[in-house]
Amino acid sequence: MALKITVIGTGYLGATHAAAMAELGFEVLGLDVVPEKIEMLAAGRVPMYEPGLEDLLARHVAGIEGSSGRLRFTTSWEEAGAFGDVHFVCVNTPQKHGEYACDMSYVDAAFASLAGVVQEGALVVGKSTVPVGSALRLAGLLPEGVELAWNPEFLREGFAVQDTLHPDRIVVGVSEGAGGERAEKVLREVYAVPVAEGSPFVVTDYPTAELVKTSANSFLATKISFINAMAEVCEAAGGDVAKLAEAIGHDERIGSKFLRAGIGFGGGCLPKDIRAFMARAGELGADQALTFLREIDSINMRRRASMVEMAREALGGGFLGKRVAVLGATFKPDSDDVRDSPALNVAGQIHLQGGQVTVYDPKGMDNARRLFPTLGYAPTALDAARGADVVLHLTEWREFRDGLDPAELASVVTSPVILDGRNALDPVRWREAGWTYRAMGRPRA
Ligand code: UGA
């Protein structure tokens, strides 16, 4: 009989995972403790913008016309416990308030609730990003006869559906002995389709699986801060970081991805994951091994400040009485997520220093407004730019790269100066239309 799967926590990760499991042919029950979330999902809607996710839900959510009916949602732990052969725990692990460490309260609460209802013989699979050592501790909370595996998730926002259905690797951390072997067997069954399509299936112990996740994100953060450090040197030496990235990227050992210099990384993962990793290494007595991440973090934060300085300079030394248009609010394109967004951080800093900031973002307006209600917002890029003394391009949406007409935008601003915080616009096109174009780590003209 086909395995029955529950997904506990239906945020970004959980909602996508639940829909993907239904797409792979399983009966799925998604559980969340927030009833509003469950109501939305049960109607086939998602509380965030993620390309393709609503379509995938519509194909499977029970009650939607033409759907497979394989995906249902609940707030009842009893129902989830009775239903699932495999329970995926996908709850959030944010940064603790006022500390670097990760807040495990949602994971702990989920395990406590699950422990009371899970059936003997079931498999619990952790997917949340947790400090190394958590899986072993959490396994101890589960009743006898219930096995735990750790299966980190590597999906990127904006590509969540694709990354979940066609993962570039599946990592499974299991316990030693017969229980672990059984867990591996079950997860090979769950992931049979992507494995048959060629996704590598890597089996490890618990700590290694947990570390794969945090080390992968640390590596990505390091790569971005590396190129941003090179941008600082390029600025000092008169070099061009975009050319430099292109050239070093041709070396296959380096690779060209994640070498886009600019205002740096943000979002709900990279910043908090490197901090939680440092905090955990400290607890383990291995803090020296990760002191470099402190530098990665500070290079990253410095880029935001340096964007503010670039804008100040473009405005002749101060923000008072100046109009600043900000294109982009989300931490990256194809997402409505503004958590720790470098774009909003820059907009906020300029506003606090007296600039009149008007923001436009294709999808992130509502979330941005909630977080920074005192900034100005405009319904289009053109409206945001109207009367601006400087335009800041801070999130590289396709709409800005391909959809904006530099000549048209030039006709509405007070002064045609654009600062590209993402190195994503074509300098030639903008300069030809009469703009002063400046980008981070690149020559002035
Ligand atoms: C990241 C990882 O890429 C995923 O593999 C991981 O699963 C996820 O975190 C997670 O832990 O859940 P995500 O937060 O969606 O995914 O965003 P990324 O695509 O990694 O981008 C992060 C930030 O880096 C963005 O602000 C982006 O603008 C910035 N970035 C990215 C650069 O500044 N330069 C680059 O070259 C690439």
Side-chain angles (χ1 to χ4, degrees), residues 153-186:
E153 178 59 54
F154 306 104
L155 67 80
R156 296 160 298 166
E157 293 190 15
F159 299 90
V161 170
Q162 145 94 11
D163 287 350
T164 308
L165 287 172
H166 311 285
D168 57 10
R169 78 282 210 192
I170 296 157
V171 176
V172 166
V174 296
S175 64
E176 259 179 55
E181 280 168 25
R182 193 175 61 81
E184 178 186 338
K185 202 166 149 268
V186 172

Side-chain angles (χ1 to χ4, degrees), residues 129 153-158 169 213 217 220 224 227-228 257-270 273 331-333 342 396 422:
T129 300
E153 178 59 54
F154 306 104
L155 67 80
R156 296 160 298 166
E157 293 190 15
R169 78 282 210 192
K213 170 71 194 186
N217 276 0
L220 295 172
I224 299 168
I227 201 64
N228 282 330
K257 291 184 181 154
F258 268 62
L259 281 186
R260 204 169 1 84
I263 54 172
F265 59 82
C269 302
L270 262 44
D273 284 358
F331 85 105
K332 69 175 199 180
E396 69 280 31
R422 290 297 184 180

Side-chain angles (χ1 to χ4, degrees), residues 321-350:
K322 299 289 186 182
R323 287 172 183 266
V324 179
V326 168
L327 303 183
T330 54
F331 85 105
K332 69 175 199 180
D334 295 318
S335 163
D336 64 358
D337 197 342
V338 298
R339 283 177 296 170
D340 200 359
S341 166
L344 269 188
N345 182 304
V346 168
Q349 286 191 54
I350 294 178

Side-chain angles (χ1 to χ4, degrees), residues 29 36 52 97 128 163 179 184 210 223 239 241 266 293 344 390:
L29 183 64
E36 294 77 29
H97 194 67
S128 308
D163 287 350
E184 178 186 338
E210 295 166 314
K223 213 172 168 190
V241 74
L293 286 178
L344 269 188
V390 66

